[in-house]
Amino acid sequence: MREFELIRQYFAEQNVARKDVELGIGDDCAVVRLAENKSLVVTTDTLVSGVHFPTDTDPKAIGHKAIAVNLSDLAAMGAEPCWVSLALTLPEVDEAWLKEFSAGLFELCEFYNVQLIGGDTTQGPLSISVTAHGVVPNGTQLTRSGARPGDWVYVTGNVGDAGLALQAIFGEASLPQDTFDKVKKRLDYPSPRVLVGQSIREHATSAIDISDGLLAELGHLANNSNVGFNINLEQVPVSNELMNSLPTEQAYCLALTAGDDYELLFTASDEKKVALETAMTHSGVKFACIGQVNGSNNIELNLEGKPFDIETEKSGFKHFS
Ligand code: ADP
Ligand code: MG
């Protein structure tokens, strides 16, 4: 199968046809129309087989995840996702794989009315690079630099489940089958918090998505906002699956350091606390207030009022370690 045929068969047909796409797949470039009062928000994330997902991952999950990780970045900026492009490097043309992969990719695109507008297809070790484009009303994007001492700190969903699945896959934890199935689903099919990002846009002071672990992301907010944090671990949202699988301290360690959750971490001032919590309640996504921003440059972790020590080398996934 030639490159052109492959694109036509697996990527050119989709159920999303946005009015703001003047030219989609098929020309040298795509052309999209931007509303006058909107700013373009752009992000790229690459998934490399064996690095960002285990080599035997279901192709449908790979397609889902390639889109999800990018929509999660847009969500962290408070952006509405609109268009994606796909740079796909494949070792060979495997039609069964392509069918599943594109089904996973388009399912999430359709859910958020996101259109695939172009890409590139090359041969080599399996790697998927997606560029996602979104919009925000001019100047309203959320950033990592807006947290201020006294702000409250929030997390959506649960953290640590994807990390628990990875531990089981790599033989570091042994889990009952039903527990494994549940956390594996969280690893393979993360839910980007797209609507949460947009609904907290006018209430939050800063936001970031949790791709490399809660502690690492708190570190990014701390550096970019020049603040510190007091975090109460017993308020960090963790699943029953995680708490029932590991001793308490290990479970919190995983919740703090494991990546791949794609939840949102954000801050809000005391004045906006009620408005923000109301907006979150309307979004229907579970959320928790896990602590407060302070004026130091330290992240202080407490468990039931006692300081919680965590070795610094555990603070997140390091790409070149
Ligand atoms: P060029 O050589 O001019 O870059 P290509 O032959 O690479 O063009 O691509 C032809 C068209 O198909 C372009 O519009 C490109 O954006 C699109 N395309 C290529 N690969 C993909 C892909 N994996 N998914 C979606 N669109 C793709
Ligand atoms: Mg090309």
Side-chain angles (χ1 to χ4, degrees):
M1 180 180 274
R2 310 228 340 260
E3 181 190 341
F4 174 78
E5 181 59 19
L6 182 157
I7 296 163
R8 196 188 61 76
Q9 179 115 13
Y10 296 103
F11 299 107
E13 270 167 44
Q14 57 191 310
N15 294 326
V16 175
R18 293 178 61 100
K19 286 206 192 77
D20 52 15
V21 176
E22 294 181 12
L23 210 47
I25 293 171
D27 216 305
D28 287 315
C29 293
V31 179
V32 297
R33 189 169 296 184
L34 206 54
E36 211 176 302
N37 55 343
K38 297 281 174 77
S39 299
L40 184 63
V41 183
V42 183
T43 182
T44 301
D45 251 322
T46 300
L47 301 183
V48 177
S49 179
V51 179
H52 301 99
F53 57 86
T55 49
D56 62 351
T57 302
D58 182 359
K60 192 168 181 202
I62 300 171
H64 175 99
K65 199 159 181 174
I67 298 298
V69 299
N70 279 278
L71 298 194
S72 177
D73 281 325
L74 289 181
M77 305 297 290
E80 174 197 341
C82 301
W83 317 287
V84 288
S85 45
L86 167 69
L88 189 57
T89 306
L90 300 169
E92 73 212 323
V93 177
D94 175 342
E95 296 205 46
W97 190 95
L98 279 162
K99 190 160 180 267
E100 285 297 300
F101 171 81
S102 62
L105 181 143
F106 282 132
E107 191 174 79
L108 193 53
C109 284
E110 264 177 51
F111 190 81
Y112 288 112
N113 194 35
V114 168
Q115 188 168 340
L116 179 66
I117 55 169
D120 195 24
T121 308
T122 52
Q123 193 166 24
L126 180 61
S127 158
I128 303 105
S129 192
V130 168
T131 298
H133 310 75
V135 296
V136 290
N138 297 148
T140 64
Q141 63 274 8
L142 293 169
T143 66
R144 299 177 175 189
S145 56
R148 294 293 171 262
D151 286 357
W152 298 95
V153 184
Y154 293 86
V155 170
T156 60
N158 288 325
V159 287
D161 284 356
L164 183 61
L166 281 170
Q167 282 207 339
I169 288 167
F170 292 113
E172 292 157 24
S174 100
L175 305 176
Q177 190 63 42
D178 60 333
T179 300
F180 178 69
D181 291 345
K182 271 195 180 161
V183 293
K184 177 81 164 35
K185 203 152 179 243
R186 294 268 296 146
L187 174 69
D188 283 347
Y189 293 92
S191 307
R193 301 302 188 186
V194 172
L195 301 180
V196 170
Q198 290 169 74
S199 65
I200 63 171
R201 198 168 56 210
E202 52 186 299
H203 308 300
T205 49
S206 73
I208 189 168
D209 73 319
I210 307 176
S211 52
D212 293 345
L214 178 57
L215 192 55
E217 312 303 353
L218 283 167
H220 292 313
L221 287 185
N223 287 335
N224 283 270
S225 298
N226 196 23
V227 294
F229 291 97
N230 287 86
I231 301 298
N232 303 315
L233 286 185
E234 66 278 8
Q235 287 160 358
V236 169
V238 286
S239 70
N240 291 334
E241 284 75 27
L242 177 57
M243 292 318 278
N244 294 339
S245 299
L246 296 174
T248 305
E249 304 221 332
Q250 273 183 43
Y252 280 120
C253 227
L254 199 63
L256 284 165
T257 60
D260 287 289
D261 292 310
Y262 300 100
E263 295 296 344
L264 289 185
L265 167 67
F266 50 95
T267 57
S269 68
D270 195 50
E271 301 84 80
K272 293 283 182 76
K273 191 172 197 278
V274 173
L276 177 124
E277 292 186 1
T278 304
M280 283 304 302
T281 304
H282 285 153
S283 81
V285 172
K286 169 181 145 145
F287 68 101
C289 182
I290 63 167
Q292 228 170 345
V293 179
N294 66 42
S296 78
N297 277 314
N298 300 320
I299 300 172
E300 287 172 28
L301 305 172
N302 285 288
L303 181 57
E304 315 285 1
K306 293 198 195 81
F308 185 85
D309 275 329
I310 186 161
E311 306 101 296
T312 43
E313 68 264 24
K314 283 193 179 160
S315 59
F317 178 83
K318 297 198 185 60
H319 291 272
F320 294 101
S321 62

